[in-house]
Amino acid sequence: GKDLTQMDENRLARLRGQKVGIIFQNFYLIPTLTAFENVSIPHELNGGDHSENKAKELLKSFDLSHRLNHYPGQLSGGEQQRLAVARAFVNDPKLILADEPTGNLDSANSHIIIDLLEKLHNQHGVTLVLVTHEKDIASRAERIIELGDGRIISDTAS
């Protein structure tokens, strides 16, 4: 319900901070911050109340409560990606953009991440836009838009 073309950079940044969560293939965690701090910081920057409780709650639900004080370099790839997902959800976004969220993970951790994203989508009604090259992951989506050479090849709903 917002015309993004009419917003200045400050309003766009505020909108992204409040309504959009982003999950990157390469995690982009801050190496000098603990797991707890990496999840807390977007909420704090957005002026959220009780960011400590929110971050701890998310980390617990993502099976990372025992890693609160660990730095990203002390976590496995799967733990780092779960941490990145928790960070994307800390502000209760309406939209999650996930760019190859399983690209750097083994198949077991890939399934954990996709199951987690699907669960959060279903529980919170979050719109999830996920980019993947993996057909088995794409097949779980409600809608699949296949691109080739910058053009839409197919657009199917399940």
Side-chain angles (χ1 to χ4, degrees):
K2 307 253 186 231
D3 184 353
L4 302 179
T5 63
Q6 300 301 310
M7 292 185 178
D8 64 22
E9 285 301 318
N10 288 335
R11 287 184 64 204
L12 284 169
R14 199 171 326 117
L15 180 74
R16 281 190 301 268
Q18 295 171 348
K19 305 286 184 189
V20 180
I22 302 174
I23 304 166
F24 301 97
Q25 177 179 356
N26 294 322
F27 319 135
Y28 292 114
L29 300 169
I30 301 171
T32 57
L33 298 181
T34 65
F36 172 75
E37 292 166 334
N38 264 284
V39 172
S40 297
I41 200 162
H43 198 57
E44 290 174 14
L45 291 173
N46 207 31
D49 292 336
H50 310 294
S51 61
E52 182 175 331
N53 294 340
K54 179 74 173 182
K56 285 182 179 177
E57 175 186 312
L58 275 169
L59 289 166
K60 181 180 180 184
S61 70
F62 292 1
D63 195 27
L64 289 169
S65 57
H66 64 291
R67 304 294 247 159
L68 288 175
N69 297 313
H70 288 80
Y71 293 94
Q74 297 172 310
L75 305 175
S76 71
E79 289 172 328
Q80 288 183 51
Q81 191 62 309
R82 289 199 318 271
L83 181 60
V85 172
R87 179 187 57 197
F89 273 90
V90 75
N91 285 328
D92 299 315
K94 302 292 182 201
L95 170 67
I96 291 287
L97 302 175
D99 181 18
E100 294 278 0
T102 61
N104 287 325
L105 302 176
D106 60 30
S107 61
N109 277 307
S110 291
H111 287 288
I112 290 169
I113 293 299
I114 295 304
D115 289 345
L116 182 60
L117 289 171
E118 189 173 51
K119 176 183 170 185
L120 292 165
H121 161 71
N122 291 332
Q123 286 180 345
H124 300 282
V126 175
T127 298
L128 174 63
V129 176
L130 186 141
V131 175
T132 186
H133 288 89
E134 298 178 45
K135 297 273 187 202
D136 63 319
I137 290 173
S139 70
R140 295 172 64 171
E142 294 171 12
R143 181 177 177 190
I144 301 170
I145 300 171
E146 189 175 354
L147 303 175
D149 297 324
R151 297 189 181 271
I152 295 175
I153 295 172
S154 66
D155 183 349
T156 57
S158 58

